[in-house]
């Protein structure tokens, strides 16, 4: 088994809430180990005082950046400079950029050009340019709404609402066409990977479902077949377009 990816986590304090820190780091842990955790802001200002407890609890290093000029975001510049310094060390497999600010679009693109994975985290207001510059983008509200009980049933959109989402339907159909075999069947894992390549911000949780399998069942557009894999123990879900109905 390969070692977990080493990640540099850089947080824009002005664009993130301290109440999300635990959920944010838990999400990041799915993708690797946060070897560096830094957060940037002007810590002399009262609006950042709420971060004090979260930083101590989660060992996040605060980086002070004074606002030398009103209307200019010196925090962004400091975060970008640090990111490039860390990139040049060649010690990391990926970066987690936590901000909704479009100023980080070029940074995300540059890190990806170097062959590293970029995970973005931000609010729904995040410009599409930044979302598209990341390998994967997670909206912070899905972390805020995550249920405490992992076995609790998902409370997602119903089939009618999902089918009205033209982008969602197109993503599934295009991914199925790209990964399907001669009979039109494709593994759900391959479909999920194809969708993520097309839309970095795709996440079943955006629609109220914890898992991709729950979302595709709720969407109710495809034939679904659960198959046992070669080891006889594991199962995988396969799907294809329905032949007996349109849509």
């Amino acid at each position: 088994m390969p070692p977990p990816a080493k990640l540099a986590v850089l947080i824009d304090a002005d664009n993130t809430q301290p109440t999300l820190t635990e959920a944010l780091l838990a999400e990041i842990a799915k993708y690797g180990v946060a070897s560096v955790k830094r957060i940037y802001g002007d810590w002399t200002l009262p609006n950042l005082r709420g971060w004090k407890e979260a930083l101590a609890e989660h060992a996040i290093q605060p980086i002070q950046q004074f606002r030398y000029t009103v209307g200019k975001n010196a925090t962004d510049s400091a975060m970008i400079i640090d990111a490039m310094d860390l990139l040049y060390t060649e010690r990391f497999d990926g970066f987690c950029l936590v901000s909704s600010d479009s100023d980080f679009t070029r940074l995300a693109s540059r890190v990806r050009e170097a062959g590293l994975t970029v995970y973005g985290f931000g609010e729904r207001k995040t410009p599409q340019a930044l979302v598209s510059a990341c390998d994967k983008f997670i909206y912070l509200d899905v972390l805020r709404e995550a249920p405490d009980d992992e076995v609790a049933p998902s409370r997602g959109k119903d089939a009618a609402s999902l089918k009205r989402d033209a982008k969602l339907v197109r993503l599934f159909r295009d991914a199925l066409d790209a990964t399907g075999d001669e009979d039109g069947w494709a593994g759900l894992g391959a479909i999920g990977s194809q969708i993520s390549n097309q839309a970095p911000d795709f996440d079943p949780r955006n629609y109220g479902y914890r898992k991709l399998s729950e979302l595709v069942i709720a969407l109710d557009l495809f034939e679904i077949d659960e198959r046992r894999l070669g080891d006889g123990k594991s199962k995988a879900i396969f799907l294809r377009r329905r032949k007996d109905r349109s849509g």
Side-chain angles (χ1 to χ4, degrees):
M1 179 179 295
K6 293 182 179 180
L7 303 175
V9 180
L10 307 180
I11 304 171
D12 180 358
D14 294 322
N15 279 278
T16 314
Q17 299 175 12
T19 53
L20 292 176
T21 305
E22 184 173 352
L24 172 65
L25 294 178
E27 180 73 17
I28 290 171
K30 297 178 181 179
Y31 311 113
V33 176
S35 299
V36 167
K37 292 178 287 186
R38 297 179 185 176
I39 185 167
Y40 301 78
D42 186 348
W43 302 100
T44 65
L45 300 179
N47 62 303
L48 296 185
R49 288 176 182 169
W51 279 101
K52 183 177 180 180
E53 183 176 342
L55 300 187
E57 180 179 355
H58 298 285
I60 303 174
Q61 179 184 5
I63 305 297
Q64 170 62 29
Q65 181 59 55
F66 292 103
R67 294 185 178 182
Y68 298 112
T69 305
V70 176
K72 298 293 184 181
N73 197 339
T75 298
D76 291 0
S77 299
M79 187 166 155
I80 291 170
I81 291 171
D82 262 15
M84 295 307 297
D85 286 343
L86 292 170
L87 176 64
Y88 291 143
T89 67
E90 299 183 350
R91 293 189 292 113
F92 300 94
D93 302 299
F95 278 68
C96 298
L97 304 179
V98 188
S99 179
S100 307
D101 197 327
S102 62
D103 288 348
F104 296 108
T105 301
R106 182 65 187 108
L107 172 62
S109 298
R110 177 65 184 84
V111 173
R112 289 184 70 187
E113 288 170 4
L116 278 66
T117 303
V118 177
Y119 302 98
F121 299 82
E123 302 288 349
R124 295 280 177 176
K125 65 181 180 180
T126 304
Q128 187 60 41
L130 176 55
V131 172
S132 299
C134 299
D135 290 282
K136 184 173 182 61
F137 195 92
I138 298 95
Y139 292 112
L140 293 173
D141 62 304
V142 302
L143 305 182
R144 184 182 299 114
E145 297 171 359
D148 293 331
D149 186 357
E150 287 299 326
V151 300
S154 296
R155 291 175 291 181
K157 297 180 179 180
D158 59 24
S161 298
L162 294 172
K163 289 175 182 177
R164 287 195 295 268
D165 189 328
K167 179 181 178 182
L168 175 65
V169 173
R170 186 177 66 253
L171 282 172
F172 268 100
R173 285 177 171 167
D174 289 349
L176 183 55
D177 290 343
T179 59
D181 60 18
E182 293 181 355
D183 296 321
W185 289 101
L188 187 58
I191 289 173
S193 297
Q194 181 70 20
I195 291 177
S196 295
N197 291 337
Q198 294 178 245
D201 58 341
F202 174 79
D203 191 322
R205 292 171 296 182
N206 293 339
Y207 306 92
Y209 294 92
R210 292 191 306 274
K211 298 179 180 180
L212 182 61
S213 58
E214 294 176 350
L215 174 59
V216 75
I217 291 171
L219 186 57
D220 192 30
L221 278 178
F222 307 101
E223 292 184 46
I224 297 176
D225 183 23
E226 189 174 16
R227 305 176 184 175
R228 289 193 178 276
L229 300 180
D231 59 8
K233 299 178 181 179
S234 304
K235 293 182 179 180
I237 292 176
F238 286 76
L239 48 143
R240 71 177 177 182
R241 294 199 186 203
R242 283 195 174 127
K243 296 181 178 181
D244 58 342
R245 70 171 78 174
S246 60

